[in-house]
Amino acid sequence: MSAGRERILGGIRKGLGRGKLEGEALAAVEARLSAPARNLIPRRTALPTAELVDLFEKMATDVAATLRRVAGPDDVPDAVAEFLAGLNLPSEIKAAPDPRLDDIPWSKRPTLAVSHGAAADSDLTAVTAATAAIAETGTLMLASSAAAPTRLNFLPDNHIVVLRAGQVTGTYEDGWDLVRAAGALPRTVNFVTGPSRTGDIEQKIQLGAHGPRRLHIILVEDGGETGSS
Amino acid sequence: MQPTSHAFVENAHRALNDAQLHAALGHMKAGFQDKRAATIARMPEFEDLRDQGRAIKNHTLAHLDAYLERFEAKVTETGGRVHWAPTPAEARDAILKICQAAGARTVTKGKSMIAEEIALNEHLAANGIEPIETDLGEYIIQLRGELPSHIIAPAIHLVKEQVAESFYAHHTELDPKRPLDDARALTDEARAMLRQRFLAADVGITGANFLIAETGSTVIVTNEGNGDLTQNLPRIHIVIASIEKVVPTLEDSATILRLLARSATGQEYSAYTTFSTGPKRPGDLDGPDEFHVVILDNGRSALLGTPAQETLRCIRCGACMNHCPIYASVGGHAYGWVIPGPIGAAINPGLIGLEEAGHLPNASTFCGRCESVCPMRIPLPSIMRHWRERQHERKLSPGTVRAGLGLWAWAARRPRLYRFGTRLAAALLGRLGRRRGRLKRLPLAGGWTDWRDLPAPEGRTFQQHWAARRSGAGR
Ligand code: SF4
């Protein structure tokens, strides 16, 4: 045990006027940690599923994300290619090597160059899969894994996220439940709400400070459940 | 950093005459106040969330040792390391050691008020390691050799022309004739300049908005994405956080996060909220090899059990300074230390001592707006009053104030004399201010009336009004 540790913990106990926590008080702490309880959940998301998806779309587009609904995974290559063409961007993507994207037939769009892996500085556009989407604030939940490297979410100028309608849930707490059910907490969990922004110069909001300039969400309406992470 | 809070009076005088500063601070109402009000109006449960936020932090503070121990156990279990630093010097040394062991030459930094508190940049630079601030506001003030003037908008005291001036002066490899006349061009230039620094850095240092005891996770909340590039790209990620940042569970952080962005910038949620747990895992294609958390005390544990304990609930949203008339008049630098505004006035005496920070609790009109907007319901004015009382007990307040208050206390214990005295004063002041309803100068209180007008009494005392009211009501 380091001396610094004992000085800090001792200082805390002195301030609180007690010794090391024990007995019932310690049991209460353990209980709170082993069975995390929800606090107040705002009513905003007490909605049927279809309306939750609408709320997610409204909240996400309110903060300058763009969103396109497509019927199924087969439509994703066209949606990606058209997004890039609309901005005069090169028809090139770096996609996460993610099984959740395996049902997307990239070959349908032969002019779209697709490579897989972590993001490099030269990549202009990333495509990743969502873990969940939080309707409350239009927030994407993106959990890391060997198949979902985090850098793709931040380094390229354009970030395209493939989201299945069945992944849209109400609250952050719903998202945590999904992640907990899937096993150990992922190393990185990013909650992403719109593209990068700053108000540091005269409080005038500019998009694309250091992270992506654009966040484009492709919402696959009939993607089925893809598993949470 | 070296505090200059003892010079608050001089600092404030200078600030009051700074027209450029006032132009910059003039953006605060539309930028912060109006947006906050609009977002909160869309969240009917906001007041209940505030109650819950306060309860979560009160519970955590009452069991702080147990939650920190649990946090450490979880960090260790997930492959990271916790370093305990009772003092700023110990925190600086722990960080320097990690950087030196890695042979680090450059370090990128996400915005961290704790790093400012321990004067980390100076320490790294003195030891041959270059620290690079990556938050746009922090980057600007680092170029200018200044300190942050606001906890969430470090360069709020500057206008865009000043930023352009600094970019022309420092980015000498670029065409000196390039146009830099709007925020867009400035933001793009900073983005381009910092990209290479992100990629080349050996170590990334961030602060933390929360530490999660349940999971050993650290949490950062940003809008720019700089914090994520800082912690994901280099081989080593160091988190620096103070002891009160811990909360029990992910759910508890979810509740407080509902308060944070709304109170800070008036956003529903910040662009990026990131939970990091340990170093990269086997098979991961990116992420840091090492994950360190430095936990700083620096006087905070000594506030437990005192009236100032409540300041430890602070989530550094900045709402109190965004709504403070004093802050809006003098800006953040006048406060002379890392944390300005009402929360600075309430917490700095506990962190840097009453001798140094004694002026700050007096820099208040006690209008109460700070407390009314504080998402964690910290009673800021009464904590300032607590420090004033300590200061008075220890005879640290100026002689005129002490003599005046002493005289008042002597007279107040003699009701007839008191009534006579106040009637006389009210009548006198009422006559003096009759023409404009305001008093420009007050004898012996120049420090007060030089910069604000005292509303002139109407010529009757509170007690006379009260008596008239009572008899009126009885009729
Ligand atoms: S004291 Fe309250 S309002 Fe001020 S920064 Fe802290 S949490 Fe925000």
PDB file of all heavy atoms in Angstrom, chain B residues 235-255:
ATOM      1  N   ARG B 235       0.447   5.707 -26.997  1.00  0.00           N
ATOM      2  CA  ARG B 235       0.645   4.401 -26.362  1.00  0.00           C
ATOM      3  C   ARG B 235       0.188   4.391 -24.912  1.00  0.00           C
ATOM      4  O   ARG B 235      -0.076   3.346 -24.337  1.00  0.00           O
ATOM      5  CB  ARG B 235       2.136   4.036 -26.392  1.00  0.00           C
ATOM      6  CG  ARG B 235       2.580   3.363 -27.678  1.00  0.00           C
ATOM      7  CD  ARG B 235       4.045   3.002 -27.592  1.00  0.00           C
ATOM      8  NE  ARG B 235       4.885   4.176 -27.359  1.00  0.00           N
ATOM      9  CZ  ARG B 235       5.683   4.332 -26.316  1.00  0.00           C
ATOM     10  NH1 ARG B 235       5.774   3.399 -25.396  1.00  0.00           N
ATOM     11  NH2 ARG B 235       6.417   5.426 -26.187  1.00  0.00           N
ATOM     12  N   ILE B 236       0.209   5.571 -24.306  1.00  0.00           N
ATOM     13  CA  ILE B 236      -0.095   5.630 -22.880  1.00  0.00           C
ATOM     14  C   ILE B 236      -1.172   6.680 -22.620  1.00  0.00           C
ATOM     15  O   ILE B 236      -1.113   7.787 -23.161  1.00  0.00           O
ATOM     16  CB  ILE B 236       1.177   5.992 -22.081  1.00  0.00           C
ATOM     17  CG1 ILE B 236       2.185   4.851 -22.236  1.00  0.00           C
ATOM     18  CG2 ILE B 236       0.861   6.248 -20.604  1.00  0.00           C
ATOM     19  CD1 ILE B 236       3.542   5.161 -21.679  1.00  0.00           C
ATOM     20  N   HIS B 237      -2.160   6.306 -21.833  1.00  0.00           N
ATOM     21  CA  HIS B 237      -3.199   7.252 -21.426  1.00  0.00           C
ATOM     22  C   HIS B 237      -3.105   7.458 -19.921  1.00  0.00           C
ATOM     23  O   HIS B 237      -3.147   6.500 -19.157  1.00  0.00           O
ATOM     24  CB  HIS B 237      -4.583   6.709 -21.806  1.00  0.00           C
ATOM     25  CG  HIS B 237      -5.731   7.585 -21.372  1.00  0.00           C
ATOM     26  ND1 HIS B 237      -7.019   7.115 -21.251  1.00  0.00           N
ATOM     27  CD2 HIS B 237      -5.780   8.899 -21.039  1.00  0.00           C
ATOM     28  CE1 HIS B 237      -7.819   8.106 -20.853  1.00  0.00           C
ATOM     29  NE2 HIS B 237      -7.091   9.200 -20.708  1.00  0.00           N
ATOM     30  N   ILE B 238      -2.929   8.728 -19.527  1.00  0.00           N
ATOM     31  CA  ILE B 238      -2.940   9.075 -18.104  1.00  0.00           C
ATOM     32  C   ILE B 238      -4.167   9.936 -17.833  1.00  0.00           C
ATOM     33  O   ILE B 238      -4.396  10.930 -18.524  1.00  0.00           O
ATOM     34  CB  ILE B 238      -1.673   9.871 -17.692  1.00  0.00           C
ATOM     35  CG1 ILE B 238      -0.401   9.104 -18.070  1.00  0.00           C
ATOM     36  CG2 ILE B 238      -1.697  10.177 -16.195  1.00  0.00           C
ATOM     37  CD1 ILE B 238       0.883   9.895 -17.825  1.00  0.00           C
ATOM     38  N   VAL B 239      -4.924   9.532 -16.837  1.00  0.00           N
ATOM     39  CA  VAL B 239      -6.085  10.308 -16.406  1.00  0.00           C
ATOM     40  C   VAL B 239      -5.718  10.992 -15.102  1.00  0.00           C
ATOM     41  O   VAL B 239      -5.154  10.354 -14.211  1.00  0.00           O
ATOM     42  CB  VAL B 239      -7.299   9.391 -16.159  1.00  0.00           C
ATOM     43  CG1 VAL B 239      -8.517  10.205 -15.734  1.00  0.00           C
ATOM     44  CG2 VAL B 239      -7.603   8.548 -17.387  1.00  0.00           C
ATOM     45  N   ILE B 240      -5.997  12.287 -14.996  1.00  0.00           N
ATOM     46  CA  ILE B 240      -5.777  12.964 -13.721  1.00  0.00           C
ATOM     47  C   ILE B 240      -7.127  13.466 -13.203  1.00  0.00           C
ATOM     48  O   ILE B 240      -7.854  14.140 -13.920  1.00  0.00           O
ATOM     49  CB  ILE B 240      -4.727  14.099 -13.837  1.00  0.00           C
ATOM     50  CG1 ILE B 240      -4.756  15.013 -12.617  1.00  0.00           C
ATOM     51  CG2 ILE B 240      -4.873  14.935 -15.080  1.00  0.00           C
ATOM     52  CD1 ILE B 240      -3.625  14.826 -11.703  1.00  0.00           C
ATOM     53  N   ALA B 241      -7.465  13.050 -11.973  1.00  0.00           N
ATOM     54  CA  ALA B 241      -8.785  13.379 -11.436  1.00  0.00           C
ATOM     55  C   ALA B 241      -8.677  13.592  -9.936  1.00  0.00           C
ATOM     56  O   ALA B 241      -7.827  13.002  -9.276  1.00  0.00           O
ATOM     57  CB  ALA B 241      -9.766  12.244 -11.720  1.00  0.00           C
ATOM     58  N   SER B 242      -9.558  14.436  -9.395  1.00  0.00           N
ATOM     59  CA  SER B 242      -9.553  14.649  -7.953  1.00  0.00           C
ATOM     60  C   SER B 242     -10.516  13.673  -7.279  1.00  0.00           C
ATOM     61  O   SER B 242     -11.388  13.087  -7.926  1.00  0.00           O
ATOM     62  CB  SER B 242      -9.902  16.102  -7.634  1.00  0.00           C
ATOM     63  OG  SER B 242     -11.048  16.491  -8.355  1.00  0.00           O
ATOM     64  N   ILE B 243     -10.339  13.522  -5.973  1.00  0.00           N
ATOM     65  CA  ILE B 243     -11.021  12.443  -5.240  1.00  0.00           C
ATOM     66  C   ILE B 243     -12.546  12.491  -5.356  1.00  0.00           C
ATOM     67  O   ILE B 243     -13.190  11.448  -5.341  1.00  0.00           O
ATOM     68  CB  ILE B 243     -10.656  12.449  -3.729  1.00  0.00           C
ATOM     69  CG1 ILE B 243     -10.907  13.828  -3.102  1.00  0.00           C
ATOM     70  CG2 ILE B 243      -9.209  12.024  -3.517  1.00  0.00           C
ATOM     71  CD1 ILE B 243     -10.737  13.845  -1.572  1.00  0.00           C
ATOM     72  N   GLU B 244     -13.115  13.711  -5.503  1.00  0.00           N
ATOM     73  CA  GLU B 244     -14.575  13.791  -5.455  1.00  0.00           C
ATOM     74  C   GLU B 244     -15.228  13.475  -6.792  1.00  0.00           C
ATOM     75  O   GLU B 244     -16.440  13.590  -6.937  1.00  0.00           O
ATOM     76  CB  GLU B 244     -14.999  15.176  -4.944  1.00  0.00           C
ATOM     77  CG  GLU B 244     -14.992  16.296  -5.971  1.00  0.00           C
ATOM     78  CD  GLU B 244     -13.599  16.854  -6.270  1.00  0.00           C
ATOM     79  OE1 GLU B 244     -12.589  16.212  -5.897  1.00  0.00           O
ATOM     80  OE2 GLU B 244     -13.518  17.933  -6.899  1.00  0.00           O
ATOM     81  N   LYS B 245     -14.447  13.053  -7.774  1.00  0.00           N
ATOM     82  CA  LYS B 245     -15.031  12.754  -9.083  1.00  0.00           C
ATOM     83  C   LYS B 245     -15.702  11.384  -9.130  1.00  0.00           C
ATOM     84  O   LYS B 245     -16.379  11.042 -10.090  1.00  0.00           O
ATOM     85  CB  LYS B 245     -13.949  12.809 -10.168  1.00  0.00           C
ATOM     86  CG  LYS B 245     -13.461  14.214 -10.459  1.00  0.00           C
ATOM     87  CD  LYS B 245     -14.459  14.974 -11.303  1.00  0.00           C
ATOM     88  CE  LYS B 245     -14.052  16.404 -11.551  1.00  0.00           C
ATOM     89  NZ  LYS B 245     -14.734  17.354 -10.678  1.00  0.00           N
ATOM     90  N   VAL B 246     -15.501  10.577  -8.106  1.00  0.00           N
ATOM     91  CA  VAL B 246     -16.045   9.221  -8.148  1.00  0.00           C
ATOM     92  C   VAL B 246     -17.560   9.232  -7.911  1.00  0.00           C
ATOM     93  O   VAL B 246     -18.079  10.059  -7.153  1.00  0.00           O
ATOM     94  CB  VAL B 246     -15.310   8.307  -7.124  1.00  0.00           C
ATOM     95  CG1 VAL B 246     -15.687   8.658  -5.698  1.00  0.00           C
ATOM     96  CG2 VAL B 246     -15.545   6.832  -7.412  1.00  0.00           C
ATOM     97  N   VAL B 247     -18.276   8.379  -8.627  1.00  0.00           N
ATOM     98  CA  VAL B 247     -19.694   8.093  -8.349  1.00  0.00           C
ATOM     99  C   VAL B 247     -19.834   6.574  -8.298  1.00  0.00           C
ATOM    100  O   VAL B 247     -19.004   5.865  -8.848  1.00  0.00           O
ATOM    101  CB  VAL B 247     -20.662   8.681  -9.398  1.00  0.00           C
ATOM    102  CG1 VAL B 247     -20.640  10.199  -9.382  1.00  0.00           C
ATOM    103  CG2 VAL B 247     -20.365   8.142 -10.796  1.00  0.00           C
ATOM    104  N   PRO B 248     -20.885   6.079  -7.645  1.00  0.00           N
ATOM    105  CA  PRO B 248     -20.978   4.621  -7.496  1.00  0.00           C
ATOM    106  C   PRO B 248     -21.122   3.868  -8.835  1.00  0.00           C
ATOM    107  O   PRO B 248     -20.293   3.028  -9.153  1.00  0.00           O
ATOM    108  CB  PRO B 248     -22.202   4.436  -6.597  1.00  0.00           C
ATOM    109  CG  PRO B 248     -22.274   5.701  -5.795  1.00  0.00           C
ATOM    110  CD  PRO B 248     -21.818   6.785  -6.734  1.00  0.00           C
ATOM    111  N   THR B 249     -22.171   4.144  -9.593  1.00  0.00           N
ATOM    112  CA  THR B 249     -22.506   3.242 -10.712  1.00  0.00           C
ATOM    113  C   THR B 249     -22.666   3.984 -12.038  1.00  0.00           C
ATOM    114  O   THR B 249     -22.741   5.212 -12.083  1.00  0.00           O
ATOM    115  CB  THR B 249     -23.850   2.527 -10.423  1.00  0.00           C
ATOM    116  OG1 THR B 249     -24.878   3.532 -10.371  1.00  0.00           O
ATOM    117  CG2 THR B 249     -23.816   1.768  -9.111  1.00  0.00           C
ATOM    118  N   LEU B 250     -22.746   3.200 -13.115  1.00  0.00           N
ATOM    119  CA  LEU B 250     -23.016   3.764 -14.436  1.00  0.00           C
ATOM    120  C   LEU B 250     -24.345   4.518 -14.426  1.00  0.00           C
ATOM    121  O   LEU B 250     -24.468   5.594 -15.018  1.00  0.00           O
ATOM    122  CB  LEU B 250     -23.060   2.637 -15.481  1.00  0.00           C
ATOM    123  CG  LEU B 250     -21.728   1.887 -15.702  1.00  0.00           C
ATOM    124  CD1 LEU B 250     -21.959   0.626 -16.536  1.00  0.00           C
ATOM    125  CD2 LEU B 250     -20.715   2.797 -16.392  1.00  0.00           C
ATOM    126  N   GLU B 251     -25.338   3.958 -13.726  1.00  0.00           N
ATOM    127  CA  GLU B 251     -26.645   4.622 -13.642  1.00  0.00           C
ATOM    128  C   GLU B 251     -26.529   5.982 -12.954  1.00  0.00           C
ATOM    129  O   GLU B 251     -27.198   6.947 -13.345  1.00  0.00           O
ATOM    130  CB  GLU B 251     -27.640   3.739 -12.875  1.00  0.00           C
ATOM    131  CG  GLU B 251     -28.303   2.652 -13.703  1.00  0.00           C
ATOM    132  CD  GLU B 251     -27.374   1.484 -14.009  1.00  0.00           C
ATOM    133  OE1 GLU B 251     -26.217   1.465 -13.531  1.00  0.00           O
ATOM    134  OE2 GLU B 251     -27.811   0.576 -14.744  1.00  0.00           O
ATOM    135  N   ASP B 252     -25.704   6.042 -11.906  1.00  0.00           N
ATOM    136  CA  ASP B 252     -25.537   7.328 -11.208  1.00  0.00           C
ATOM    137  C   ASP B 252     -24.910   8.358 -12.144  1.00  0.00           C
ATOM    138  O   ASP B 252     -25.293   9.530 -12.151  1.00  0.00           O
ATOM    139  CB  ASP B 252     -24.679   7.141  -9.949  1.00  0.00           C
ATOM    140  CG  ASP B 252     -25.402   6.316  -8.883  1.00  0.00           C
ATOM    141  OD1 ASP B 252     -26.643   6.411  -8.796  1.00  0.00           O
ATOM    142  OD2 ASP B 252     -24.727   5.583  -8.139  1.00  0.00           O
ATOM    143  N   SER B 253     -23.953   7.910 -12.961  1.00  0.00           N
ATOM    144  CA  SER B 253     -23.352   8.869 -13.893  1.00  0.00           C
ATOM    145  C   SER B 253     -24.387   9.294 -14.935  1.00  0.00           C
ATOM    146  O   SER B 253     -24.416  10.451 -15.346  1.00  0.00           O
ATOM    147  CB  SER B 253     -22.096   8.285 -14.558  1.00  0.00           C
ATOM    148  OG  SER B 253     -22.422   7.301 -15.523  1.00  0.00           O
ATOM    149  N   ALA B 254     -25.267   8.385 -15.338  1.00  0.00           N
ATOM    150  CA  ALA B 254     -26.291   8.736 -16.334  1.00  0.00           C
ATOM    151  C   ALA B 254     -27.164   9.877 -15.811  1.00  0.00           C
ATOM    152  O   ALA B 254     -27.512  10.809 -16.546  1.00  0.00           O
ATOM    153  CB  ALA B 254     -27.143   7.519 -16.680  1.00  0.00           C
ATOM    154  N   THR B 255     -27.524   9.810 -14.538  1.00  0.00           N
ATOM    155  CA  THR B 255     -28.378  10.856 -13.955  1.00  0.00           C
ATOM    156  C   THR B 255     -27.656  12.203 -13.943  1.00  0.00           C
ATOM    157  O   THR B 255     -28.208  13.222 -14.355  1.00  0.00           O
ATOM    158  CB  THR B 255     -28.786  10.457 -12.513  1.00  0.00           C
ATOM    159  OG1 THR B 255     -29.508   9.234 -12.584  1.00  0.00           O
ATOM    160  CG2 THR B 255     -29.641  11.534 -11.867  1.00  0.00           C
TER     161      THR B 255
END
